Amino acid sequence: MALHHLVHINAHILAQDERTSNILLRAENEKLQCENAAMLEALKNVTCPPCGGPPFGGEEREPNLHKLRLEGDSLVAAKNKYRQTMLDSLTSVQRQQTFEALTSYGTNPYNPFEQPSSSESQTIQPQLLSQMDIPQLSETAAIAVEELKQLFLTDEALWVMSSIEGTYVIDQESYEKFSHSIKHFRNLSARVESSKDVTVVPIEATSLIDMFLDLEKWKMLFPTIVNKAEMIHTLGSELPIKENCNVLQMIWEQLHILSPLVPPREFMIVRCCQQIGEGLWIIADVSQHIVNSDQVSPSCYKRPSGCLIRSLPNAHTEVSWIEHVEVDHTADTHRMYRELVSGGSGYGARRWIVTLERMCERMALSTILIMPATDWSETIPTVEGRKSVMKLGERMVKIFSEMLIMSGKIEFPQQSKGGVRILIRMNMKPGQIPGLVASAASCLSIPLTPLQVFNSLRSNDTRHQWDVLCHGNAITETARIFTGSSGTNYINLLQNMVQEPHKTMMVLQECYMDALGGMIVYSPLDMATMSIAASGEVDPLNIPILPQATTIGELYSCWLFRFLSLMKITRNVSENTADKVSRLISQTVQSIKVMLNCPPE
């Protein structure tokens, strides 16, 4: 009887919980539909562009309207499905806590139960290959490995010095004779990019190879180059790398430069890792067309590229790198970046090597077990807290890099003028602040060296002159964690010296400068959140963050790219939103130019 009575009680509680759940989910559904309708209505009121042409008609608006409808529908479906799954798996007490968290959406800036919408989910899914495809993939990989052996080890005559950049490139006439390859693009705008570079990094060779073959580690090793990567298929031995490394993978990857003015490059590649001698490995990447996908750029083809990894004493590794690609989309690249992209500092070997050097130094410093004498902090008391803040900084840089792929969002072309590009998107990714986010990007050329600009922008003494987060007040630094051997590479915590009552804010910032340029990326955090991060007691992956940044590079003079994101709490998409964020970034850029004493245009 007791058991029977308990079943009835549990059934009654379950029924009540289900009714409550349905009411809440129905209310949330109606709320999202209202928000979707508001966004649609706002797009109907878009004013005419500044070019003097007619206002946007139905044909021009329809792609954006269609996108919003799809995103709204998929968002509602995804959220309802995920929440119901969560609720079904929880006890009554846990479910009540979940309900309270869900109903706080829209007022609480962080909702741990939010999940990405379908439009933000993985775009490429693992696929099964037929037995007929596997021999072809193996042959493609074997040819790529043999070609790289010749380019790395045997035939220096294939390399010639470029008269333009002063770096080594592949002599295409000689290459075509030995490789018997065909050109994949016949347009006059098509070109071949080739480059090589070498370095020594402080990491075991087998550990580095493991990072190359694990896509999550691969993305974190090259956060400013690899935007996305998905494993399509894996073949090869399951033995540890040091015993056998004949591994074959099919990968979809999206690579990018730190600017939305340059289109990303997508490749479907075969990656082969093969040990070719004692302490010597080759990792080869080459494009293949066995698996077709709309996500693969039709204007990029990767010829055999990759690296030669040589194990050295004292836990060091020599890495030689070759990049060799065909491209046919120069016209899609902003004129300011065309020379950068076509040279080695864009997608070339030099950029991969420089990034690898910086990230290996960062990893080495993140694993030490004592507080380094070079670091100092008033707010990070333990080694665990230091590691947590470093992970949060790593996430912040990665999130910023991902945000630069500004395609697939709602754009306001009539606001994208004067060097400013405005886009608005619904942010639903885990670990990021949910809601509508307005993003602005601007790029300009400055007659100074990159290091001069970098030092001016990271200076605490002059930051209040350009950073709107300072509100015109001076700032103080409360912690600094070095992430490299250079004094320019570090994470620091900044605090406004004049705090508003009941609103204590801090800024988490990561800076670096390398041979190709620099970055200053930062995000405001309230004092309580920063204290949690510095304690080392929580996973930094769960701390929401919305970064802003400035990137700095060099052509004939220094170019500076500025990126700003603004949380739109009211969630009403309108021209006023775009105007506000456009004015904000324009004012910031103008303040930077005044601070740097740039001549008037």
Side-chain angles (χ1 to χ4, degrees):
M1 284 295 294
L3 178 61
H4 181 69
H5 180 63
L6 179 61
V7 169
H8 276 290
I9 292 176
N10 284 341
H12 178 68
I13 293 174
L14 180 61
Q16 285 184 325
D17 285 346
E18 287 177 346
R19 285 194 295 271
T20 306
S21 173
N22 289 335
I23 292 171
L24 289 170
L25 290 173
R26 191 180 303 114
E28 185 70 16
N29 191 359
E30 292 173 356
K31 180 180 179 182
L32 286 168
Q33 288 177 345
C34 290
E35 292 170 357
N36 191 26
M39 287 190 287
L40 294 173
E41 186 62 29
L43 284 175
K44 293 179 182 178
N45 298 323
V46 173
T47 58
C48 69
C51 65
F56 290 108
E59 293 181 359
E60 291 80 1
R61 286 200 308 267
E62 189 55 34
N64 275 346
L65 295 177
H66 182 62
K67 175 185 288 292
L68 282 171
R69 293 189 193 101
L70 292 178
E71 288 186 353
D73 293 343
S74 61
L75 180 60
V76 171
K79 289 176 73 173
N80 288 348
K81 180 179 179 181
Y82 176 77
R83 287 173 175 173
Q84 193 60 53
T85 302
M86 290 287 295
L87 296 174
D88 288 344
S89 64
L90 299 175
T91 65
S92 297
V93 175
Q94 290 173 318
R95 289 169 72 173
Q96 182 59 40
Q97 294 172 345
T98 303
F99 292 148
E100 294 171 357
L102 294 179
T103 55
S104 68
Y105 179 72
T107 57
N108 185 352
Y110 173 47
N111 185 346
F113 296 98
E114 286 297 341
Q115 288 294 296
S117 66
S118 59
S119 63
E120 295 281 282
S121 62
Q122 296 177 352
T123 53
I124 300 291
Q125 299 296 330
Q127 300 181 26
L128 294 176
L129 300 179
S130 70
Q131 291 301 313
M132 297 178 61
D133 293 332
I134 294 174
Q136 184 178 343
L137 285 176
S138 300
E139 182 180 1
T140 300
I143 293 173
V145 169
E146 291 303 314
E147 183 171 310
L148 285 181
K149 283 182 185 179
Q150 190 159 351
L151 289 171
F152 275 125
L153 301 171
T154 61
D155 201 341
E156 286 295 326
L158 289 169
W159 294 92
V160 295
M161 179 70 72
S162 169
S163 59
I164 299 176
E165 297 188 5
T167 58
Y168 281 99
V169 298
I170 295 175
D171 180 70
Q172 292 303 312
E173 185 175 346
S174 301
Y175 173 80
E176 290 171 8
K177 290 179 181 177
F178 106 85
S179 71
H180 305 290
S181 65
I182 61 171
K183 290 184 177 180
H184 293 79
F185 306 117
R186 299 291 180 179
N187 298 337
L188 294 177
S189 61
R191 69 181 187 280
V192 175
E193 298 173 3
S194 61
S195 56
K196 69 174 181 177
D197 212 326
V198 63
T199 192
V200 174
V201 289
I203 187 174
E204 291 276 4
T206 51
S207 298
L208 185 61
I209 293 169
D210 175 67
M211 298 189 75
F212 276 62
L213 299 179
D214 184 317
L215 287 192
E216 290 304 312
K217 295 178 182 178
W218 166 256
K219 289 187 287 187
M220 296 311 297
L221 186 60
F222 299 101
T224 55
I225 302 177
V226 182
N227 184 53
K228 295 179 182 178
E230 304 293 344
M231 186 70 67
I232 307 302
H233 196 84
T234 301
L235 298 170
S237 171
E238 299 297 328
L239 295 175
I241 288 172
K242 60 184 179 182
E243 297 181 22
N244 188 329
C245 197
N246 295 318
V247 177
L248 193 66
Q249 300 174 333
M250 184 183 298
I251 298 169
W252 172 80
E253 62 179 6
Q254 184 185 68
L255 313 179
H256 70 120
I257 286 178
L258 293 176
S259 172
L261 302 179
V262 180
R265 294 180 177 179
E266 293 107 2
F267 299 97
M268 187 74 75
I269 61 170
V270 176
R271 172 168 294 172
C272 177
C273 178
Q274 189 173 106
Q275 185 168 7
I276 61 173
E278 183 66 28
L280 192 65
W281 295 265
I282 276 184
I283 296 181
D285 291 351
V286 61
S287 288
Q288 61 77 43
H289 297 300
I290 292 176
V291 175
N292 294 317
S293 171
D294 295 337
Q295 295 294 325
V296 179
S297 173
S299 56
C300 303
Y301 182 88
K302 180 165 286 192
R303 292 177 175 180
S305 304
C307 53
L308 180 72
I309 296 177
R310 189 188 305 272
S311 180
L312 299 178
N314 301 318
H316 279 62
T317 302
E318 181 188 81
V319 181
S320 303
W321 203 293
I322 288 176
E323 282 295 308
H324 195 192
V325 298
E326 296 179 50
V327 292
D328 186 26
H329 62 184
T330 306
D332 297 335
T333 301
H334 191 278
R335 55 181 176 78
M336 184 177 290
Y337 290 90
R338 286 178 188 170
E339 184 176 343
L340 175 73
V341 171
S342 60
S345 57
Y347 288 103
R350 182 64 176 152
R351 187 168 181 231
W352 289 95
I353 286 292
V354 166
T355 305
L356 179 65
E357 291 172 341
R358 186 181 75 252
M359 294 303 296
C360 284
E361 282 192 352
R362 195 186 197 285
M363 286 188 296
L365 287 172
S366 69
T367 57
I368 57 177
L369 301 178
I370 59 172
M371 296 289 282
T374 54
D375 294 359
W376 65 271
S377 173
E378 302 172 2
T379 51
I380 307 174
T382 64
V383 173
E384 290 74 17
R386 178 180 178 273
K387 290 180 179 179
S388 176
V389 172
M390 290 190 73
K391 287 182 179 179
L392 187 58
E394 182 179 54
R395 267 193 63 231
M396 179 173 64
V397 171
K398 182 60 179 173
I399 290 172
F400 162 67
S401 300
E402 291 174 347
M403 290 167 68
L404 292 180
I405 307 296
M406 297 176 80
S407 60
K409 286 84 176 179
I410 305 302
E411 184 167 9
F412 286 79
Q414 68 277 15
Q415 293 292 339
S416 301
K417 59 183 178 180
V420 177
R421 187 178 179 189
I422 309 294
L423 296 102
I424 294 179
R425 74 186 190 283
M426 179 66 79
N427 194 23
M428 300 302 296
K429 287 190 175 182
Q432 298 185 35
I433 300 175
L436 283 178
V437 177
S439 299
S442 182
C443 186
L444 66 152
S445 179
I446 298 175
L448 297 171
T449 66
L451 185 58
Q452 287 175 316
V453 175
F454 178 82
N455 286 336
S456 296
L457 291 176
R458 71 187 177 104
S459 170
N460 297 334
D461 297 332
T462 57
R463 191 183 189 101
H464 65 281
Q465 297 180 22
W466 61 268
D467 187 359
V468 295
L469 294 178
C470 295
H471 301 289
N473 301 318
I475 62 167
T476 183
E477 188 174 15
T478 64
R480 180 172 293 198
I481 300 172
F482 282 94
T483 59
S485 57
S486 170
T488 60
N489 298 6
Y490 57 85
I491 297 171
N492 59 346
L493 302 182
L494 306 175
Q495 187 173 349
N496 198 319
M497 295 183 68
V498 180
Q499 291 285 350
E500 298 179 20
H502 312 295
K503 189 178 180 182
T504 52
M505 297 296 295
M506 299 192 73
V507 172
L508 174 69
Q509 175 175 271
E510 176 150 352
C511 308
Y512 75 78
M513 190 74 186
D514 58 33
L516 297 180
M519 175 192 289
I520 301 172
V521 57
Y522 58 97
S523 177
L525 293 171
D526 62 80
M527 188 74 76
T529 301
M530 195 64 251
S531 297
I532 291 173
S535 70
E537 298 175 357
V538 299
D539 188 347
L541 293 178
N542 296 326
I543 297 176
I545 200 163
L546 186 66
Q548 304 177 31
T550 300
T551 62
I552 305 163
E554 184 174 19
L555 295 177
Y556 294 111
S557 61
C558 171
W559 57 262
L560 181 146
F561 165 70
R562 173 77 189 144
F563 186 90
L564 179 146
S565 287
L566 177 69
M567 196 69 199
K568 182 62 177 169
I569 302 299
T570 62
R571 305 186 183 190
N572 293 322
V573 181
S574 69
E575 288 301 303
N576 291 333
T577 305
D579 282 335
K580 181 178 180 180
V581 73
S582 179
R583 285 196 304 270
L584 194 58
I585 194 170
S586 297
Q587 291 169 2
T588 303
V589 169
Q590 186 60 33
S591 298
I592 291 174
K593 292 171 69 176
V594 170
M595 181 187 70
L596 297 175
N597 295 315
C598 295
E601 297 180 355

